[in-house]
Amino acid sequence: MNNFFSASLKSAVIFSVIFTLSGCDNENLSNPTLSQSQSESTISIEKPMVQHNREKLIRGIKFDAVLDPWQVKEEEQLSLIRDLFEGLTAYDAQGNIVPAVAESWQTQDNQNWTFILREGLKWSNGMPLTAQDFVLSWQALSQSESPFKFYLQYLNLKGAKPVLEKKQPLTNLGVSAENDRTLVITLDKPTPYLPEMLAHIALLPQYRDLDLFVSNGAYTLSLRDEKGVHLVKNPYYWQKDRTSFKQVDYVPYNSKPLDELDIIWSPPKKTENIQYFPQLCGYFYEFNLRDSKLANPLVRKAIASLISVSAITNNEMPNSIPSSYFLPKAMLQGQDSRWEPVLAEQLLAQSHITEKQPLILRLTHDDTLLHQNIANRLARQLSESDLLRVEDEPMSWRQLQEKRNKGDFQLIRSGWCGDFNHPMAFLGLFYSKSPDNKSGYTNAEYDQLFEQALKSTSEKERSEIYLKLSEIIQQENLVLPLFQYTTAVYISPSVMGVQKNSIGAIYSKHLWRKVEVE
């Protein structure tokens, strides 16, 4: 499956996220980066290191810098947008959702929300920033040609579908301003994770005069020239006193020696000072639960018990995170520490699978090298059972999607990325009423718990439900997880404040330069 807005921003077999917000099942991730390859040698940076400017941060970029949030197409372009703009909510250095332009919010039913904006907010030109700016921005997005406009519908915003289709007026969109500091958001259905979804760049405010470039984030545009994009601290930003770097430059990564750069997202070559950030993206094989044999949970459990996710991951994607769980590791709350012995042969025999009548298991996957290698390892592990016969079915990525949509598969290579940092970005794939449910899974208990979580206003109760839903996925082996993707990030040893997080957010405002004392 795909991310909601990745690459050409294809939909996630219906909906899934922006990169993180970067589909794990799209063609961009069909091949590992050099950072995942074991054959690449590591480049050592000669010492002594150059003396970095304490007041300037230099970030290397591979793709063209984009100043319009609605034009973002690559993951690394997000950092520049996050430096320039701020939405109702944002991420802290650990990747947790925190109040941003909105200082607080409340709801009684998870469907009708009130957000209170901070007092005295201003744009980078000193003009007041108000709740009406968000109303106008979202209305403009709904009428734009940007694929990001569909995020309004994904948000469950009331009236989004008919307004996007231009069948109803803009005023029917479920967002309004009671006054300068009070924004009211009305949804079509309960969505308790709305604050997490509001951190998406599609929902950032736009200045009313589009002929002027005005921002509201920690930095504002100073200059764009052939050397790159140059930012300076926004003197009107509400947290300006906590922002260390006075300037931030985004420059082509090949325009300077590596030791003169501070941060590079997905560096083209392996080098020292690399950190691997977990993504909200998982790689797995999907069972077709409409298949008569695979509909049996004992058969799926037997198949899963034969797989060593560590052996596959460590050999093919050594910097990824091996995992036999569907949810990203950070969402499991220690749930992944459990283990139980399973005898595959006994489970298969109970399911009337014998050596004379073995289970013919077809592995459908992309024909690119990485996916072929993973499928080969998977096939070898499964073939250790005399009761299984594995058939390899490689094909193009497009053919793979056609097979999945038609339900013409047994085990098919798949993946999923969350649009926002919340378990419900993943758990919906097995809700029987979800358009993303392609496996054919239906479970009345699962649906009841899922709907209960949507309605509950107790965070504790919701967290307990999420773990129960994850346990159902695990106990019934609805998918065959292999690993969680990571992204390589070069970070200069002189830059402090970077913390690994699952949404890949490195805001320049959180960083500072280490001072060397001689």
Side-chain angles (χ1 to χ4, degrees), residues 430-433 441-452 469 472 476:
F430 303 103
Y431 179 51
S432 66
K433 300 175 184 177
Y441 180 68
T442 58
N443 180 326
E445 179 190 6
Y446 191 97
D447 286 355
Q448 186 272 327
L449 286 169
F450 188 88
E451 292 169 1
Q452 183 181 343
L469 292 172
I472 291 174
E476 296 202 21

Side-chain angles (χ1 to χ4, degrees), residues 8-250:
S8 61
L9 311 186
K10 320 168 185 112
S11 69
V13 187
I14 295 265
F15 284 121
S16 156
V17 206
I18 173 168
F19 317 114
T20 152
L21 281 158
S22 70
C24 294
D25 195 39
N26 63 32
E27 295 166 286
N28 287 343
L29 284 179
S30 293
N31 296 297
T33 63
L34 290 178
S35 63
Q36 295 283 7
S37 171
Q38 292 181 302
S39 62
E40 291 296 316
S41 58
T42 298
I43 301 171
S44 295
I45 305 301
E46 294 293 328
K47 303 295 192 268
M49 299 289 285
V50 298
Q51 186 66 39
H52 290 271
N53 187 331
R54 285 187 59 191
E55 296 187 344
K56 180 188 288 188
L57 182 73
I58 303 178
R59 305 183 66 145
I61 53 176
K62 298 195 297 290
F63 298 96
D64 290 339
V66 173
L67 300 178
D68 180 354
W70 299 350
Q71 300 302 317
V72 167
K73 293 183 179 180
E74 303 294 340
E75 188 173 6
E76 71 163 10
Q77 295 170 333
L78 290 171
S79 296
L80 172 57
I81 296 300
R82 286 171 175 155
D83 280 351
L84 288 168
F85 296 94
E86 187 169 271
L88 296 169
T89 61
Y91 298 107
D92 64 12
Q94 295 83 32
N96 303 310
I97 207 71
V98 293
V101 168
E103 65 179 12
S104 64
W105 50 84
Q106 61 182 13
T107 180
Q108 300 297 320
D109 57 6
N110 296 332
Q111 187 168 348
N112 298 281
W113 295 74
T114 300
F115 287 79
I116 306 301
L117 275 57
R118 298 181 186 278
E119 188 172 2
L121 290 171
K122 294 182 179 180
W123 291 95
S124 58
N125 62 356
M127 296 298 292
L129 189 156
T130 68
Q132 187 64 18
D133 289 317
F134 282 90
V135 175
L136 295 175
S137 296
W138 292 14
Q139 289 178 346
L141 175 62
S142 73
Q143 304 303 296
S144 73
E145 297 301 317
S146 170
F148 283 97
K149 66 183 178 182
F150 296 106
Y151 194 78
L152 297 170
Q153 191 173 334
Y154 184 54
L155 194 70
N156 299 320
L157 191 64
K158 185 177 180 180
K161 188 175 187 296
V163 171
L164 263 62
E165 294 173 349
K166 301 183 180 180
K167 294 179 180 178
Q168 291 185 8
L170 292 177
T171 52
N172 283 18
L173 202 61
V175 58
S176 61
E178 282 191 356
N179 53 52
D180 285 352
R181 293 185 57 206
T182 306
L183 186 71
V184 176
I185 298 176
T186 307
L187 307 178
D188 283 326
K189 62 182 180 180
T191 307
Y193 42 88
L194 178 65
E196 282 81 2
M197 298 188 76
L198 292 177
H200 198 292
I201 62 168
L203 305 178
L204 294 170
Q206 282 195 343
Y207 192 63
R208 300 187 191 190
D209 186 348
L210 298 180
D211 291 331
L212 301 176
F213 186 85
V214 181
S215 59
N216 75 314
Y219 293 89
T220 188
L221 181 65
S222 171
L223 175 68
R224 180 169 194 167
D225 58 18
E226 68 280 358
K227 295 180 180 179
V229 174
H230 312 279
L231 311 182
V232 295
K233 280 179 66 170
N234 178 359
Y236 298 103
Y237 182 58
W238 65 277
Q239 273 191 319
K240 63 180 183 298
D241 294 336
R242 298 179 61 181
T243 303
S244 177
F245 286 108
K246 294 181 179 180
Q247 298 173 263
V248 179
D249 285 356
Y250 283 82

Side-chain angles (χ1 to χ4, degrees), residues 43 45 48 68 209 228 232 279 304 308 310 381 422 458 471 500:
I43 301 171
I45 305 301
D68 180 354
D209 186 348
V232 295
Q279 293 186 31
S308 169
S310 295
Q381 292 181 6
H422 194 281
S458 166
E471 191 64 24
K500 287 185 180 180

